[in-house]
Amino acid sequence: MIRTATPDDIPVIHAMVRELAEYEKAPDEAKASRQQLHEALFGERPAVFAHLAEEAGEPVGFALWFLNFSTWRGVHGIYLEDLYVRPGARGGGHGKALLTELARICVERGYERLEWSVLNWNRPSIEFYEALGARPQDEWTAYRLTDGALRELGKPGSGD
């Protein structure tokens, strides 16, 4: 079963974010607190959204996403930040069900893209996504500013 997350789900979403970071070999990079997740998902101006996959009433996976926008298509899309299914539940159709729900939201709302990133070494996920019809965007390279580089570029007067 797939359902929209509620504020009561914050502890399990937080736990699964940590589990995902462990799986992706970056446990020290997952610094978001429960309070930050609560504010982002359920605060005065929510900017991200989440769905949970359940099996026998227990959360076994989640998808956390937000809207993006294509200037070329002139419409919003969904950017899937995290898709995670706990190891004991993998192969049970939960990942596909979560992606199906996001695709349904796209179709229902007139969004024309559902996008995400996957680590190059994560062959099981890559094969899963390609089996669903997703295709890699090999011509693009992702860039990111964080920590000191972000602060340096963002400080007053640096763009003058």
Side-chain angles (χ1 to χ4, degrees):
M1 178 181 106
I2 304 301
R3 65 174 177 79
T4 303
T6 69
D8 290 340
D9 294 316
I10 292 298
V12 75
I13 292 170
H14 185 258
M16 286 193 280
V17 167
R18 306 275 313 148
E19 292 169 27
L20 175 59
E22 289 281 341
Y23 175 77
E24 292 185 350
K25 303 173 186 165
D28 295 337
E29 293 182 39
K31 298 177 182 180
S33 69
R34 288 180 180 183
Q35 182 58 38
Q36 287 172 310
L37 289 173
H38 186 276
E39 184 63 28
L41 286 160
F42 304 107
E44 186 177 317
R45 298 166 90 172
V48 296
F49 310 92
H51 286 79
L52 278 100
E54 290 185 336
E55 187 173 287
E58 291 297 316
V60 296
F62 81 107
L64 193 136
W65 56 277
F66 55 89
L67 294 180
N68 59 14
F69 185 80
S70 170
T71 56
W72 290 17
R73 295 198 175 209
V75 296
H76 283 291
I78 286 177
Y79 186 84
L80 175 60
E81 179 66 21
D82 287 336
L83 176 68
Y84 178 73
V85 175
R86 288 182 157 156
R90 292 184 188 151
H94 305 294
K96 183 176 182 181
L98 286 162
L99 284 171
T100 298
E101 176 62 10
L102 296 186
R104 186 196 63 74
I105 291 168
C106 285
V107 170
E108 179 181 274
R109 298 180 187 177
Y111 303 160
E112 294 189 13
R113 290 182 179 167
L114 172 54
E115 299 177 300
W116 61 91
S117 297
V118 61
L119 291 164
N120 293 333
W121 57 259
N122 193 347
R123 288 304 314 161
S125 293
I126 291 168
E127 291 169 7
F128 166 68
Y129 298 142
E130 289 182 353
L132 295 176
R135 296 294 169 250
Q137 301 298 295
D138 295 349
E139 67 274 15
W140 294 89
T141 299
Y143 282 85
R144 178 179 295 159
L145 278 171
T146 61
D147 303 323
L150 178 63
R151 287 189 294 277
E152 181 65 27
L153 184 61
K155 73 181 178 186
S158 64
D160 298 335

